[in-house]
Amino acid sequence: MSALILIVEDEPQLAEVLEAYARQEGYRTERAADGNAALTVFRAAHPDLILLDVMLPGRSGLEVLKTVRASSATPVILVTARAEETDQIVGLELGADDYVVKPFRPREVMARVKAVLRRASQLLGDPEDRPLRVGSLEVDRRAVAARVDGQALNLTPAEFRLLAQLAEVPGRAFTREELLSHALPDSDALERVVDAHLASVRRKLDAAGASGMLRTVRGVGYRLEAAS
């Protein structure tokens, strides 16, 4: 069965265009025009990806994203206005997987949708992959799960890919460019997006009792090491 895309957009004409292009690509679609309706459809339909406008009546797109991330790792692409750079960074810190900026060409949005869905499906990786272990952290690429002393971390797909990359070579400093090309290879996102995603990973590690594992290497990027 084809992927189900939830399009959350309060401009009817734009929503219709996005829906038409999505269906042309073979996707099934659901639509919502405000934040509350988006959450209702999300809980009922269990979409494979959410295309989420930030500026919505009532509950904002960022509020919707935060609620979704409290219970699900469903891929989310934010749709933002060019002047809303702060929303882009905040959205990524809240767990968005990517973003597109208005005005955009619908075909470019569909290309981004394909890329994010492909990355999500590739998280399963090679069946021969063994779990990666760094101190109390275990990263299981087959199960797409990360745990600290058995406690699961609720990571987004992009966060998981970044953490898995770091865990492959503990102690090695990866540049932001290396991490970005691995986690978001088809995105035009800037390197600071890595900072936003890893800030979220660090908070989750700290909350699970693995404080100090994710280190910032000044002038280079990041490394992962067992907590002392």
Side-chain angles (χ1 to χ4, degrees), residues 3-227:
L4 174 62
I5 310 300
L6 171 55
I7 299 168
V8 185
E9 173 58 62
D10 64 322
E11 297 180 36
Q13 284 187 315
L14 182 54
E16 289 173 6
V17 169
L18 289 171
E19 183 171 49
Y21 273 83
R23 290 183 175 179
Q24 187 177 42
E25 294 292 337
Y27 299 122
R28 295 173 295 132
T29 61
E30 291 281 355
R31 279 170 52 184
D34 61 66
N36 290 326
L39 290 173
T40 298
V41 176
F42 167 73
R43 290 168 180 141
H46 305 290
D48 297 292
L49 181 143
I50 305 173
L51 196 55
L52 178 62
D53 191 11
V54 170
M55 299 297 292
L56 294 171
R59 191 178 301 211
S60 74
L62 295 178
E63 290 179 285
V64 172
L65 172 60
K66 187 174 182 179
T67 302
V68 168
R69 280 291 169 262
S71 63
S72 171
T74 299
V76 175
I77 299 176
L78 288 180
V79 180
T80 75
R82 193 172 297 278
E84 295 167 356
E85 184 172 323
T86 299
D87 283 342
Q88 296 168 14
I89 299 302
V90 171
L92 291 166
E93 289 176 341
L94 289 174
D97 297 273
D98 206 347
Y99 63 83
V100 293
V101 179
K102 295 179 180 178
F104 52 71
R105 288 182 290 185
R107 289 194 185 280
E108 292 178 349
V109 178
M110 290 303 108
R112 197 68 59 82
V113 167
K114 285 182 181 178
V116 171
L117 286 172
R118 181 169 61 250
R119 291 198 299 267
S121 67
Q122 288 173 346
L123 282 174
L124 293 175
D126 188 327
E128 296 302 316
D129 284 343
R130 295 182 179 180
L132 302 169
R133 290 183 174 83
V134 183
S136 60
L137 172 69
E138 178 184 86
V139 179
D140 189 337
R141 291 168 291 185
R142 293 180 64 187
V144 194
R147 294 173 287 271
V148 174
D149 288 330
Q151 178 182 341
L153 301 177
N154 184 22
L155 301 175
T156 69
E159 291 169 359
F160 182 86
R161 291 176 71 92
L162 286 167
L163 185 60
Q165 177 74 358
L166 289 163
E168 283 185 3
V169 191
R172 178 194 161 182
F174 287 85
T175 66
R176 290 172 176 82
E177 182 180 4
E178 288 176 310
L179 294 168
L180 183 62
S181 66
H182 179 83
L184 298 167
D186 304 293
S187 173
D188 59 3
L190 301 178
E191 289 182 13
R192 65 176 177 272
V193 168
V194 172
D195 297 329
H197 283 309
L198 288 181
S200 177
V201 172
R202 179 179 279 124
R203 286 195 298 273
K204 293 172 183 180
L205 286 170
D206 290 352
S211 179
M213 289 194 70
L214 180 57
R215 301 295 183 101
T216 301
V217 182
R218 189 179 297 275
V220 181
Y222 297 88
R223 72 170 182 265
L224 191 71
E225 57 186 42

